Amino acid sequence: MSTTERPRILVVGGGYVGLYAARRILKKMRYGEATVTVVDPRSYMTYQPFLPEAAAGSISPRHVVVPLRRVLPKAEVLTGRVSTIDQDRKVAVVQPLVGEAYELPFDYLVIALGAVSRTFPIPGLAENGIGMKGIEEAIGLRNHVLEQLDKADSTTDEEVRRKALTFVFVGGGFAGAETIGEVEDMARDACKYYTNVKREDMRFVLVDAADKILPEVGPKLGQWGLEHLQKRGIEVYLKTSMESCVDGHVVLKNGLEVDSSTIVWTAGVKPNPALARFGLPLGPRGHVDTAPTLQVQGTDYIWAAGDNAQVPDLAVGEGAWCPPNAQHALRQSKVLGDNVISGMRGFPQREYKHANKGAVAGLGLHKGVAMLVFGKTKIKLKGRLAWYMHRGYHGMAMPTFNRKIRVLADWTLGMFLKREVVSLGAIENPREEFYEAAAPVSAAAAKKAETPAEQAKAG
């Protein structure tokens, strides 16, 4: 880490807002005017709307992430966590991946920690649940599902087989509906290569406590999405929740009980709990309370945006807050970057105001829903055309030209080549086989491994 006497702009978090805000600041800043430092536990940003497609193998996992150091070559990128912030001294405590924590002084602060999965104290969830907030989870889910097909194809135990081929998804918002749609698509393709597994043998279950799915696209398109999933053989249970899933035994509040080796949790998000240690004003749900200028209430040197911020939605009216989605995060980060430069130079701040442009969702290959808003006009699309809109919008929103081209290449190749259905589950424990080969063999194990002839000879 370099040292400098220039003012430091500290960006806490390297997600969508952190990356784009840092890029905006570096673009607007004069040479040598300040030092931009980005701190995040990961050295890359994940474009989360593409996680369902990564889980289904439609996009290479590496193309869903953006390396921070490559995209921000003029910034300091520190891999670690900001554990606490002393606002009086303007000092942040950074905990690196290895080594002792240290203090990092700053002059201006950007809070962009994003959100984490919102969970509840459900018995068995921590031990058996799979989230969908990071690329690691998407890759793990893909490998896990394909491993279940391998397991079911090779066993004669009907109970093991049934449990392996039952997939439970909790949460019917964008993440849940898109993930179950993509994974069901992948499993349907994959079972063609198995002798003893057919789509009819699989059971997909979607659970949500609300009375509808995909609320972001409106009731009519949400209903179409529900009926579409049901036509594909996916069971959807609304107005219910999961009470427990100990050892994979899923118990729903409506009385349904199933055994499942795959439990995917996508029931919403909450602000990063680390915010509670920063001494910032928080809203009722834990978001950083900001003014329309994205400045944290009561400060003139701290800004916040994205999923961890409670930003007034001026386009809707008093008492409304911007929803946590990529559409707002992208636009907020640009305003935030401009306001940091303005604040540093003593210029007035600009308020964030953005009217909703609609929402798009993919439900598998060639399937989707989309609601486009043009002023007071709403255009509702479904099926293949909506799927094109989904890919077009997120393809354009994907950060950096490099990643746009790579994602487009994945999609183009997918038009001509069949989907890969190879499970790489061993990648999660790559040293296991080497350890078994290299680890010392105990005397008892060696004795047990001897053939009867060898044992008689030794006796």
Side-chain angles (χ1 to χ4, degrees):
M1 182 184 66
S2 62
T3 57
T4 177
E5 294 182 355
R6 295 178 294 184
R8 172 178 274 115
I9 302 169
L10 176 59
V11 181
V12 183
Y16 212 107
V17 170
L19 171 67
Y20 263 106
R23 289 185 74 189
R24 187 77 169 187
I25 292 168
L26 291 167
K27 179 180 179 181
K28 297 284 185 176
M29 196 171 62
R30 303 188 191 102
Y31 177 76
E33 187 175 5
T35 298
V36 177
T37 303
V38 180
V39 181
D40 195 273
R42 294 181 174 86
S43 61
Y44 53 85
M45 181 275 269
T46 303
Y47 189 70
Q48 293 181 358
F50 279 155
L51 290 181
E53 289 201 53
S58 299
I59 301 177
S60 170
R62 289 186 179 87
H63 301 165
V64 177
V65 298
V66 181
L68 296 176
R69 289 183 174 85
R70 180 173 180 176
V71 179
L72 304 171
K74 296 181 180 180
E76 292 180 344
V77 178
L78 307 179
T79 306
R81 298 178 185 274
V82 172
S83 57
T84 58
I85 293 175
D86 188 331
Q87 296 184 47
D88 295 331
R89 296 170 53 216
K90 287 191 175 181
V91 169
V93 176
V94 178
Q95 178 63 60
L97 291 182
V98 293
E100 296 183 358
Y102 57 87
E103 292 188 342
L104 185 69
F106 63 85
D107 298 274
Y108 305 95
L109 182 63
V110 175
I111 305 296
L113 283 176
V116 299
S117 295
R118 181 186 62 188
T119 59
F120 303 98
I122 298 173
L125 178 59
E127 296 79 7
N128 300 290
I130 302 173
M132 275 294 286
K133 285 291 293 176
I135 188 62
E136 303 86 354
E137 292 172 316
I139 298 171
L141 175 60
R142 170 180 167 77
N143 290 330
H144 175 80
V145 169
L146 292 175
E147 279 185 346
Q148 301 314 302
L149 301 188
D150 291 340
K151 185 188 297 183
D153 186 64
S154 59
T155 186
T156 57
D157 189 320
E158 190 58 35
E159 185 176 339
V160 172
R161 175 183 166 87
R162 189 183 307 111
K163 186 174 181 179
L165 295 179
T166 301
F167 308 94
V168 177
F169 291 71
V170 183
F174 270 0
E178 288 188 314
T179 303
I180 195 172
E182 292 285 356
V183 170
E184 190 274 341
D185 232 9
M186 178 190 71
R188 184 184 293 271
D189 283 348
C191 71
K192 299 174 184 177
Y193 304 98
Y194 290 87
T195 305
N196 301 315
V197 176
K198 297 180 176 58
R199 173 60 183 91
E200 294 75 21
D201 301 328
M202 303 181 203
R203 186 178 185 181
F204 283 85
V205 178
L206 178 63
V207 182
D208 196 281
D211 59 353
K212 55 183 175 293
I213 68 170
L214 295 170
E216 300 90 343
V217 296
K220 290 186 178 180
L221 287 179
Q223 181 62 28
W224 184 89
L226 170 64
E227 294 172 356
H228 169 78
L229 294 178
Q230 290 174 330
K231 287 178 181 177
R232 289 164 59 179
I234 297 174
E235 302 173 35
V236 182
Y237 298 98
L238 302 178
K239 298 182 181 180
T240 192
S241 56
M242 185 171 69
E243 293 191 331
S244 68
C245 57
V246 177
D247 296 329
H249 182 69
V250 177
V251 179
L252 301 185
K253 198 171 183 178
N254 63 0
L256 178 69
E257 297 188 24
V258 296
D259 288 321
S260 173
S261 295
T262 308
I263 302 167
V264 183
W265 182 269
T266 60
V269 297
K270 64 180 180 181
N272 195 308
L275 296 171
R277 301 193 300 268
F278 291 175
L280 302 171
L282 303 180
R285 296 187 178 181
H287 300 78
V288 180
D289 190 12
T290 73
T293 58
L294 304 177
Q295 287 177 305
V296 175
Q297 295 286 5
T299 73
D300 59 1
Y301 64 95
I302 307 178
W303 292 261
D307 293 356
N308 68 181
Q310 180 177 275
V311 180
D313 194 343
L314 300 182
V316 175
E318 186 175 353
W321 311 104
C322 295
N325 57 35
Q327 183 180 156
H328 280 291
L330 171 62
R331 289 164 174 81
Q332 287 174 3
S333 61
K334 294 180 179 179
V335 175
L336 186 152
D338 291 344
N339 282 348
V340 170
I341 295 295
S342 297
M344 188 167 55
R345 296 174 182 172
F347 296 148
Q349 299 281 292
R350 179 162 67 96
E351 293 185 339
Y352 172 75
K353 183 178 181 180
H354 168 68
N356 179 35
K357 298 298 182 183
V360 292
L363 300 175
L365 200 61
H366 305 147
K367 301 172 279 285
V369 291
M371 180 181 69
L372 311 179
V373 181
F374 300 96
K376 296 183 179 180
T377 303
K378 293 183 179 180
I379 299 177
K380 300 176 182 179
L381 305 173
K382 54 191 177 183
R384 185 182 289 263
L385 185 56
W387 178 77
Y388 285 134
M389 293 299 302
H390 161 75
R391 282 199 162 182
Y393 174 80
H394 287 299
M396 292 297 295
M398 182 71 188
T400 79
F401 182 74
N402 179 298
R403 284 302 185 266
K404 293 183 198 301
I405 293 299
R406 291 179 184 273
V407 169
L408 181 61
D410 285 340
W411 286 340
T412 303
L413 290 173
M415 296 170 59
F416 304 101
L417 303 176
K418 293 183 178 180
R419 191 199 309 256
E420 289 288 350
V421 291
V422 178
S423 170
L424 297 176
I427 201 171
E428 297 173 18
N429 298 289
R431 295 189 63 253
E432 185 175 350
E433 185 174 343
F434 179 81
Y435 177 80
E436 291 179 359
V441 181
S442 66
K447 185 71 174 175
K448 185 176 180 180
E450 291 180 352
T451 65
E454 290 173 332
Q455 291 175 1
K457 184 177 180 181

